[in-house]
Amino acid sequence: MKLFRTLSTARLIALAVVVVAVAAGGAFAVAATGGSGSTPPPKPLAQAIHDALAGQKPDGITAHIGFTNTLFPSGSLVGQAGSALMSSATGRLWANANGGRLELQSDAGDAQIVWSDKKVTVYDATSNTAYVANLPQSKGADAKDAGKSAIPSVDEITKFLTEFGKHWTVSGADPTNTGGQESYTVKVSPSHDGGLLGSAELAFDALRGVPLKVAIYAQGASSPVLALEATNVSYGAVPDSDVQVSPPAGAKIVDLSSQAQGGGNGNGNGNGKDKSTPPVTGADAIAQAPFPAIVPDTLVGLPRQDVRLVSGKTVIAVYGQGLGAIVLVEHAKDAGAKQASPLDQLPAVTVDGATGHELATQLGTVVAWDRSGVSYVLAGSLPSAAAEAAARTLK
């Protein structure tokens, strides 16, 4: 938790947006504007996916980028510094099998994201700060088999889509032309418990299996909340020197991985016991909390699904299921702490007499407040009015 208290709100949100974008898109993920050229032949989705994955992979990709970000409504980030990651921007992408580099420029500031199979670096020119995080690594047999996995069969893909379809509505493979490349476009939307998420859209190259479009839509919205759009997509060799670029000399380096590790004690439950010790859950978690935890059985009609005690001092409860779930975090406020929370910089709200702070976006809301020596954070993919109503029931 230490790293979240040391980042400014703007930098914290910006980093979250980039991590989501990189994770959703993968090493070659770019979005592209719709093209008017030829389209591939119609195919069932499973067949289209199989054929694309079996196609020849390019040595690299370059493209011009347009980044759309309308996630944060006007006024939701009062007094925050500008950044290309906080609003719409343009830029360029370079990527090869070893990683990628995305540069974004806007009137609010510039940013650069560089990633490899081992780490990701987010450089914010506005603050001249680079945030570095290690990526999970495969071990043992998994590492040896990395890159050697066979292309899944049509039957295997069909089975996966059938399981996936139990919770998501999946469209067919719509033959399209994306950024001048023959592609198939697929749209997915949550079947239930989707919160404020409306749908997501992905277009992939029909011949190479390269993702060419990534967009996320809020409920009822015709324009994406987040999207990466590219023109002038080119395939060919991209040297590592164009991809693995270090932050400018003199930039402040913030190692997020070491900060996260420094906040724990090396075990899974934070109680100073062996990793194999089961976490404290259920009624025991509430009873053993070092403060009077407020964890009702239901919250605004949603049943409590899980509650656990983390690091012996923080209670985390989950209400509801899927993307529509609400997460409640409670911990005793450190009376000696002098550093304010980044959430304190957000617009103020009143929570049953207590002054709190709120981050409201098109995909969800976070509300934070203190009462009687306890700090509360409530987050979920729900409108701000619903999140505030849920917070006010916690007395």
Side-chain angles (χ1 to χ4, degrees), residues 246-274:
S246 300
K252 178 183 177 181
I253 305 299
V254 178
D255 189 338
L256 301 181
S257 297
S258 64
Q259 288 193 10
Q261 293 170 0
N265 53 16
N267 59 67
N269 56 32
N271 290 325
K273 300 178 182 179
D274 184 80

Side-chain angles (χ1 to χ4, degrees):
M1 299 295 293
K2 176 182 176 182
L3 70 95
F4 296 111
R5 290 193 290 269
T6 58
L7 294 180
S8 71
T9 304
R11 302 289 80 78
L12 177 60
I13 298 170
L15 182 61
V17 170
V18 172
V19 171
V20 170
V22 172
F28 282 130
V30 297
T33 56
S36 59
S38 60
T39 60
K43 292 181 181 180
L45 179 57
Q47 187 69 57
I49 294 175
H50 173 272
D51 293 350
L53 292 176
Q56 183 176 2
K57 300 300 180 289
D59 294 328
I61 298 174
T62 59
H64 288 89
I65 293 293
F67 176 52
T68 299
N69 181 0
T70 61
L71 183 63
F72 309 104
S74 177
S76 64
L77 297 175
V78 176
Q80 298 305 305
S83 171
L85 300 174
M86 306 296 288
S87 59
S88 298
T90 59
R92 292 195 63 187
L93 171 93
W94 298 261
N96 60 24
N98 297 322
R101 174 165 66 102
L102 175 63
E103 287 187 348
L104 296 173
Q105 297 87 35
S106 75
D107 293 339
D110 298 343
Q112 177 173 268
I113 304 98
V114 177
W115 68 94
S116 67
D117 60 343
K118 295 182 179 180
K119 69 177 182 179
V120 59
T121 300
V122 180
Y123 173 70
D124 177 26
T126 304
S127 61
N128 194 30
T129 302
Y131 302 94
V132 182
N134 295 327
L135 298 177
Q137 299 295 302
S138 299
K139 297 181 180 180
D142 291 339
K144 295 179 181 179
D145 294 337
K148 300 180 180 179
S149 57
I151 302 300
S153 67
V154 173
D155 288 342
E156 290 173 330
I157 297 174
T158 300
K159 182 178 179 181
F160 169 79
L161 291 175
T162 299
E163 291 296 317
F164 188 75
K166 293 179 179 179
H167 304 284
W168 295 79
T169 299
V170 185
S171 73
D174 182 22
T176 51
N177 186 289
T178 310
Q181 306 295 331
E182 292 189 359
S183 59
Y184 292 103
T185 297
V186 181
K187 297 180 180 179
V188 301
S189 58
S191 299
H192 50 80
D193 298 325
L196 297 182
L197 175 65
S199 63
E201 186 178 62
L202 169 69
F204 57 91
D205 191 302
L207 301 178
R208 304 173 181 86
V210 175
L212 293 174
K213 180 176 182 178
V214 179
I216 299 175
Y217 297 79
Q219 274 189 6
S222 58
S223 299
V225 174
L226 293 169
L228 289 173
E229 301 179 355
T231 57
N232 301 326
V233 179
S234 298
Y235 296 119
V238 175
D240 286 342
S241 58
D242 287 344
V243 173
Q244 300 305 326
V245 177
S246 300
K252 178 183 177 181
I253 305 299
V254 178
D255 189 338
L256 301 181
S257 297
S258 64
Q259 288 193 10
Q261 293 170 0
N265 53 16
N267 59 67
N269 56 32
N271 290 325
K273 300 178 182 179
D274 184 80
K275 291 182 180 181
S276 61
T277 303
V280 181
T281 61
D284 290 341
I286 301 174
Q288 295 182 29
F291 59 90
I294 302 176
V295 189
D297 293 335
T298 62
L299 185 60
V300 291
L302 297 177
R304 191 179 70 209
Q305 301 294 335
D306 184 40
V307 58
R308 58 187 59 214
L309 182 63
V310 178
S311 299
K313 58 182 179 180
T314 302
V315 173
I316 300 177
V318 178
Y319 294 86
Q321 296 180 336
L323 297 176
I326 296 176
V327 177
L328 174 64
V329 180
E330 305 176 8
H331 67 89
K333 186 176 181 180
D334 186 357
K338 297 182 179 180
Q339 187 170 1
S341 167
L343 295 176
D344 293 345
Q345 304 173 50
L346 296 171
V349 293
T350 300
V351 181
D352 195 30
T355 299
H357 298 273
E358 178 182 80
L359 171 63
T361 77
Q362 294 190 59
L363 294 179
T365 304
V366 179
V367 182
W369 72 100
D370 296 335
R371 179 185 286 117
S372 302
V374 179
S375 293
Y376 300 85
V377 176
L378 183 147
S381 183
L382 68 169
S384 58
E388 292 169 18
R392 292 185 182 114
T393 66
L394 299 168
K395 302 180 181 180

